[in-house]
Amino acid sequence: MPGMPRLRRGVRLTFDRTRDTHVLLFPEGVLVPNVTAAAVLELCDGSTTVREIASRLGTRFRGVRAVDVVNVLDRLEERRVVEWV
Protein backbone atom coordinates (compact mmCIF):
# COMPACT_ATOMS: atom_id res chain seq x y z
CA MET A 1 0.00 0.00 0.00
CA PRO A 2 1.41 3.44 -0.88
CA GLY A 3 2.12 6.09 1.76
CA MET A 4 -0.11 9.03 2.51
CA PRO A 5 -1.47 11.15 -0.35
CA ARG A 6 -1.56 14.94 -0.44
CA LEU A 7 -2.32 17.59 -2.99
CA ARG A 8 0.80 18.81 -4.78
CA ARG A 9 2.07 22.27 -4.15
CA GLY A 10 -0.03 24.82 -6.05
CA VAL A 11 -3.08 22.53 -6.20
CA ARG A 12 -6.28 23.48 -4.43
CA LEU A 13 -9.66 21.82 -4.08
CA THR A 14 -12.50 24.30 -3.82
CA PHE A 15 -16.25 24.42 -4.29
CA ASP A 16 -17.38 26.32 -7.36
CA ARG A 17 -20.79 27.82 -6.56
CA THR A 18 -21.45 28.65 -10.22
CA ARG A 19 -21.00 25.01 -11.27
CA ASP A 20 -22.37 23.73 -7.96
CA THR A 21 -19.52 21.23 -7.71
CA HIS A 22 -15.97 20.85 -6.47
CA VAL A 23 -13.14 21.90 -8.77
CA LEU A 24 -9.47 21.13 -8.52
CA LEU A 25 -7.36 24.14 -9.42
CA PHE A 26 -3.74 23.66 -10.47
CA PRO A 27 -1.19 25.63 -12.50
CA GLU A 28 -1.93 23.73 -15.72
CA GLY A 29 -5.70 24.05 -15.51
CA VAL A 30 -8.86 22.95 -13.78
CA LEU A 31 -10.33 19.50 -13.17
CA VAL A 32 -13.92 18.84 -12.20
CA PRO A 33 -13.77 15.65 -10.12
CA ASN A 34 -16.82 13.49 -9.62
CA VAL A 35 -18.36 13.34 -6.15
CA THR A 36 -16.33 10.31 -5.08
CA ALA A 37 -13.01 11.72 -6.30
CA ALA A 38 -13.76 15.03 -4.57
CA ALA A 39 -14.44 13.15 -1.32
CA VAL A 40 -11.08 11.38 -1.68
CA LEU A 41 -9.30 14.66 -2.44
CA GLU A 42 -10.78 16.33 0.64
CA LEU A 43 -8.93 13.75 2.75
CA CYS A 44 -5.56 14.06 0.96
CA ASP A 45 -3.71 15.93 3.69
CA GLY A 46 -0.40 14.07 3.77
CA SER A 47 -1.16 12.53 7.16
CA THR A 48 -4.12 10.27 6.37
CA THR A 49 -3.43 6.79 5.00
CA VAL A 50 -5.34 5.18 2.16
CA ARG A 51 -6.92 2.73 4.61
CA GLU A 52 -8.10 5.63 6.77
CA ILE A 53 -9.47 7.44 3.72
CA ALA A 54 -11.35 4.29 2.64
CA SER A 55 -12.70 3.83 6.17
CA ARG A 56 -13.94 7.43 6.38
CA LEU A 57 -15.51 7.25 2.92
CA GLY A 58 -17.18 3.99 3.90
CA THR A 59 -19.40 6.00 6.23
CA ARG A 60 -20.59 8.15 3.29
CA PHE A 61 -20.53 5.75 0.35
CA ARG A 62 -21.35 2.09 0.04
CA GLY A 63 -18.69 -0.53 -0.73
CA VAL A 64 -15.58 1.67 -0.59
CA ARG A 65 -12.37 -0.39 -0.68
CA ALA A 66 -8.79 0.78 -0.23
CA VAL A 67 -7.95 -0.52 -3.72
CA ASP A 68 -10.64 1.76 -5.19
CA VAL A 69 -9.15 4.75 -3.37
CA VAL A 70 -5.69 3.85 -4.70
CA ASN A 71 -7.11 3.63 -8.25
CA VAL A 72 -8.60 7.13 -7.96
CA LEU A 73 -5.36 8.49 -6.50
CA ASP A 74 -3.23 6.82 -9.19
CA ARG A 75 -5.25 8.59 -11.89
CA LEU A 76 -4.87 11.89 -10.06
CA GLU A 77 -1.15 11.29 -9.63
CA GLU A 78 -0.87 10.80 -13.40
CA ARG A 79 -2.44 14.24 -13.81
CA ARG A 80 0.23 15.54 -11.37
CA VAL A 81 -2.21 16.90 -8.81
CA VAL A 82 -1.56 14.35 -6.05
CA GLU A 83 1.71 13.09 -4.59
CA TRP A 84 2.64 10.48 -1.99
CA VAL A 85 4.55 11.21 1.22
Side-chain angles (χ1 to χ4, degrees):
M1 188 77 49
M4 294 170 277
R6 70 176 176 199
L7 298 179
R8 283 174 118 17
R9 187 173 181 201
V11 177
R12 187 169 52 101
L13 180 67
T14 189
F15 190 81
D16 183 327
R17 294 187 193 287
T18 303
R19 295 179 182 157
D20 195 34
T21 191
H22 281 93
V23 293
L24 194 60
L25 307 173
F26 57 105
E28 295 83 20
V30 176
L31 285 177
V32 180
N34 65 29
V35 173
T36 307
V40 170
L41 287 163
E42 288 177 318
L43 299 172
C44 290
D45 58 10
S47 63
T48 305
T49 67
V50 169
R51 288 187 196 283
E52 291 169 331
I53 291 171
S55 176
R56 290 183 193 176
L57 293 179
T59 64
R60 292 176 57 189
F61 303 99
R62 198 173 195 177
V64 176
R65 300 174 303 159
V67 68
D68 299 325
V69 172
V70 169
N71 288 338
V72 168
L73 291 169
D74 283 347
R75 288 194 306 273
L76 292 166
E77 184 182 29
E78 289 173 6
R79 299 291 304 261
R80 301 190 44 81
V81 295
V82 170
E83 64 185 1
W84 298 93
V85 294

